[in-house]
Amino acid sequence: PFTPAWVSEGAAMYYTDDFPLPVLADWLARDGTESLSLDELSALNSFGARDETEEHTALHYAYSAYLVRYLIDTYGEEAFLRFYDSYAAVPIEEVNAQLPRNVGGVIDNETLGRVARQITPGLVRESFGIDLATLEERFESWLVELLDDRS
């Protein structure tokens, strides 16, 4: 439940060959890469919860699809799948240490998102040998180049 949506939804889109390039092209032309943070995206375990226009939701899905594509193209499918699986291997003690006390057995999506945001940088480093900020920078450079090649 604390796997970021960019990992799970990005994988789903990758394996269904769903790459909405126009959404990313519009986003880059209008807002630029600085308007979306991979760190903040890592705190979402689902997309669309508070997006009435669905504009951000479409962007999050597109960004995630291409991020997974980048990871697989760069590091290989096996490395990506190990990364995906690494969320299931996080020791429960590590997760429990980040959960609030006295929640009466109910843990909401925001809490799980905070756990994901804390865990993801370490899993990225273990899986790909780079920090989250470097991954974001390299991916977005790759994405801009991809879009330039399509123009």
Side-chain angles (χ1 to χ4, degrees), residues 4-144:
W6 73 259
V7 177
S8 56
E9 297 297 345
M13 293 184 75
Y14 177 86
Y15 287 109
T16 59
D17 199 30
D18 187 1
F19 296 101
L21 197 59
V23 172
L24 291 177
D26 291 346
W27 163 67
L28 284 172
R30 184 183 62 242
D31 301 322
T33 59
E34 293 78 29
S35 66
L36 184 62
S37 161
L38 184 53
D39 175 59
E40 291 174 10
L41 199 60
S42 294
L44 301 177
N45 60 2
S46 65
F47 294 147
R50 296 183 191 116
D51 185 12
E52 294 177 14
T53 66
E54 298 183 2
E55 183 177 329
H56 288 100
T57 302
L59 172 59
H60 291 164
Y61 276 103
Y63 188 95
S64 300
Y66 278 92
L67 179 52
V68 168
R69 180 175 167 184
Y70 168 79
L71 289 170
I72 291 173
D73 287 356
T74 304
Y75 299 97
E77 185 174 21
E78 285 184 33
F80 173 75
L81 292 175
R82 278 193 305 274
F83 168 66
Y84 192 116
D85 287 343
S86 70
Y87 285 91
V90 172
I92 194 65
E93 298 80 23
E94 187 176 336
V95 174
N96 284 338
Q98 297 183 48
L99 296 177
R101 302 293 170 233
N102 302 321
V103 294
V106 177
I107 301 171
D108 61 12
N109 283 340
E110 188 175 318
T111 301
L112 292 172
R114 283 194 303 272
V115 172
R117 193 175 192 177
Q118 293 295 318
I119 291 171
T120 298
L123 296 179
V124 165
R125 183 175 295 286
E126 289 172 21
S127 299
F128 306 114
I130 58 174
D131 60 50
L132 195 65
T134 302
L135 169 60
E136 180 176 25
E137 180 183 309
R138 290 179 182 174
F139 162 64
E140 289 175 351
S141 293
W142 173 88
L143 184 60
V144 167

